[in-house]
Amino acid sequence: NLTIEDEIIAYDGKNVSKYDYEGFFMICENVGFEENFVTYANYQNYLQMFKVNLVETEGIIERQRTIKDEEEIECIKKACEITDKCFSMLKEYIKPGLTEKQIARKIHNYYMENSEGESFETIVASGENSSKPHAVPTDRIIQSRDIITIDMGCIINGYCSDMTRTIFIGEPTEKQKNIYNLVLKNQKIALNQIREGANIKNIVKGVESDFNINNQTLIHSLGHGVGLEIHEAPIVGIKNDTPLK
């Protein structure tokens, strides 16, 4: 089995011909393929073309990418710093009368000027739309006392950031304050538990339990890894009964 210590040789294979591949595969008993990225039609085509035994790799590349090296971490940190600055800009920019689309466009332009662009399509959801975790920006106009959920990120050297923030336009109600503070409290508790060897499922169960005690329901995972893709392992959810590395 391939481990994190094994040597991996990467190269640009765009100009490799069919005959080059045939030469590679002549000395291979098995050839691994990424089952999430190869269609069944291509799988059948490869079998006929190369006459090899194709073996599913079961996320082998994704597992290798779970643990980042120092250079990768620096790229992610830089992307997060730019995202933080974008949010600081938004706190001064957002006001009643703007539309969700206008705010999303402002975010898009900021990232185009300061990074390689957005790491995913920005979410700006206000009022009733803020109840949808994966809403799409609309022409809805921001109003006084709205709740606005913003989910955004950028790319630096190919590496992604991902930030979700909630903004209140004006003074929130007591109920809104209580729910916001409940989420904030559990975020801080969860962050303090994140360390080498900590069990992901146990961290999530602690948050879920406190939500239930306060008559609320955890409807989403706590988080996920980021890297070359916006969603990478590990998924910090109730079904992930594995230790953090």
Side-chain angles (χ1 to χ4, degrees):
N1 291 335
L2 188 66
T3 69
I4 196 67
E5 287 80 23
D6 288 329
E7 181 182 10
I8 297 176
I9 300 173
Y11 66 96
D12 187 347
K14 287 186 291 185
N15 297 320
V16 177
S17 71
K18 168 182 179 293
Y19 304 103
D20 291 327
Y21 277 118
E22 287 177 344
F24 297 154
F25 296 159
M26 282 179 65
I27 59 172
C28 298
E29 180 179 349
N30 298 311
V31 174
F33 74 97
E34 295 183 84
E35 65 275 21
N36 292 324
F37 298 93
V38 177
T39 66
Y40 184 70
N42 282 337
Y43 170 81
Q44 293 285 8
N45 186 40
Y46 296 152
L47 282 178
Q48 294 179 11
M49 186 183 301
F50 300 121
K51 311 300 182 185
V52 294
N53 182 35
L54 293 175
V55 181
E56 297 175 16
T57 57
E58 298 180 353
I60 191 170
I61 301 299
E62 290 80 1
R63 288 198 300 275
Q64 292 298 309
R65 282 167 39 185
T66 299
I67 299 174
K68 273 66 177 178
D69 62 28
E70 290 302 318
E71 185 178 346
E72 291 176 301
I73 291 170
E74 284 305 311
C75 291
I76 294 171
K77 282 183 176 179
K78 180 63 176 176
C80 290
E81 288 171 3
I82 293 172
T83 304
D84 277 335
K85 291 177 181 177
C86 182
F87 183 65
S88 295
M89 176 273 294
L90 289 174
K91 288 189 290 185
E92 302 297 323
Y93 172 74
I94 293 174
K95 59 184 178 182
L98 294 173
T99 67
E100 294 174 351
K101 285 184 178 179
Q102 284 178 304
I103 298 171
R105 194 175 303 117
K106 185 76 170 179
I107 295 168
H108 171 82
N109 292 340
Y110 185 91
Y111 287 146
M112 291 303 295
E113 292 174 3
N114 296 279
S115 71
E116 294 163 30
E118 296 171 300
S119 52
F120 58 95
E121 290 190 16
T122 296
I123 295 171
V124 178
S126 62
E128 62 277 6
N129 293 338
S130 65
S131 66
K132 306 169 187 175
H134 300 106
V136 175
T138 69
D139 290 318
R140 186 187 184 280
I141 296 173
I142 306 302
Q143 303 169 34
S144 179
R145 302 186 73 86
D146 266 351
I147 300 174
I148 306 175
T149 297
I150 297 175
D151 196 0
M152 61 182 184
C154 70
I155 302 172
I156 291 294
N157 296 327
Y159 287 84
C160 302
S161 66
D162 186 0
M163 171 192 282
T164 304
R165 292 290 183 267
T166 300
I167 296 175
F168 296 94
I169 304 300
E171 184 69 19
T173 66
E174 285 304 311
K175 181 179 181 180
Q176 290 169 343
K177 288 181 183 178
N178 290 337
I179 295 174
Y180 182 93
N181 287 330
L182 175 67
V183 174
L184 180 60
K185 178 188 77 172
N186 278 278
Q187 181 195 46
K188 291 179 177 179
I189 292 172
L191 286 173
N192 286 333
Q193 294 179 56
I194 291 179
R195 60 179 60 87
E196 175 87 20
N199 181 273
I200 292 174
K201 184 175 183 178
N202 289 342
I203 295 173
V204 180
K205 283 177 67 176
V207 174
E208 186 177 59
S209 176
D210 194 49
F211 272 33
N212 292 340
I213 290 171
N214 288 276
N215 299 313
Q216 301 297 328
T217 304
L218 182 65
I219 62 171
H220 200 280
S221 65
L222 296 191
H224 56 83
V226 293
L228 293 172
E229 295 183 77
I230 191 60
H231 295 111
E232 295 196 1
I235 301 301
V236 186
I238 195 69
K239 295 180 180 180
N240 192 350
D241 192 12
T242 61
L244 287 167
K245 297 180 181 180

